[in-house]
C-alpha cells in the first residue's frame, strides 16, 4: 500500500522542527494563551537570556508560527496558530492510516476466531 501525502512537506517540516525545542514550544504556547507580548515579557517568562529568546523567536518566525511588529524600541510578537495547519494535515493523514490498519487487524482477528 502506497500513501500519497497532500501536505506541503517542506512547510510541515519547518513547523515540526520549530516546535521540537521545548523553549520554542513554551514561547509559542505562551503567546497563544496570553496574546501579543514584547520580547522583554517573553524573556521574563522563558527564564533564559534575551538573545536566546530572540533566536528562538527567529526560528518561530521562519516557520510562520509568530509575527512581530515594532513599536518604538519594543518588538511585539503574536502567535499565528493557523500556521499549525500543515502539522494538523500531516497528523490527519497518519491518523486515518493507522485507523485503517487497526480496522484491518480487527477484521483479521475476527476471521481467525
Amino acid at each position: 500500500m502506497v500513501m500519497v501525502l497532500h501536505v506541503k512537506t517542506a512547510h510541515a517540516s519547518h513547523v515540526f522542527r520549530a516546535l521540537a525545542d521545548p523553549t520554542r514550544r513554551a514561547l509559542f504556547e505562551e503567546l497563544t494563551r496570553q496574546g501579543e507580548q514584547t520580547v522583554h515579557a517573553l524573556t521574563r517568562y522563558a527564564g533564559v537570556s534575551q538573545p536566546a529568546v530572540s533566536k528562538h523567536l527567529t526560528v518561530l518566525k521562519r516557520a510562520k508560527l509568530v509575527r512581530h511588529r515594532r513599536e518604538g524600541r519594543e518588538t511585539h510578537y503574536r502567535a499565528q496558530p493557523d500556521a499549525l495547519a500543515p502539522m494538523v494535515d500531516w497528523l490527519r493523514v497518519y491518523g486515518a492510516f493507522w485507523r485503517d490498519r487497526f480496522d484491518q487487524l480487527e477484521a483479521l482477528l475476527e476471521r481467525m476466531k
Side-chain angles (χ1 to χ4, degrees):
M1 176 178 173
V2 176
M3 275 184 30
V4 178
L5 295 178
H6 299 287
V7 177
K8 291 182 180 176
T9 308
H11 190 70
S13 294
H14 288 289
V15 173
F16 276 112
R17 227 173 293 144
L19 294 176
D21 182 275
T23 302
R24 286 193 291 269
R25 203 166 45 249
L27 290 169
F28 179 75
E29 290 172 7
E30 175 71 3
L31 289 168
T32 301
R33 279 193 304 271
Q34 302 299 326
E36 185 176 274
Q37 294 188 50
T38 64
V39 173
H40 291 106
L42 291 169
T43 300
R44 282 192 303 275
Y45 168 78
V48 296
S49 70
Q50 186 274 319
V53 168
S54 291
K55 286 180 182 180
H56 286 303
L57 289 168
T58 297
V59 174
L60 293 170
K61 277 193 301 188
R62 285 188 187 137
K64 298 182 176 26
L65 290 164
V66 298
R67 295 184 86 181
H68 73 285
R69 67 177 179 84
R70 300 274 310 173
E71 186 175 296
R73 294 180 142 195
E74 293 284 346
T75 303
H76 299 257
Y77 284 85
R78 67 180 179 275
Q80 297 295 297
D82 291 346
L84 293 173
M87 182 185 290
V88 171
D89 293 343
W90 186 87
L91 291 169
R92 187 178 303 121
V93 168
Y94 280 98
F97 170 80
W98 285 110
R99 276 190 300 281
D100 181 56
R101 291 292 188 166
F102 284 124
D103 289 346
Q104 290 176 25
L105 177 61
E106 185 177 29
L108 175 65
L109 293 173
E110 286 297 319
R111 287 192 309 268
M112 289 175 68
K113 282 186 178 181

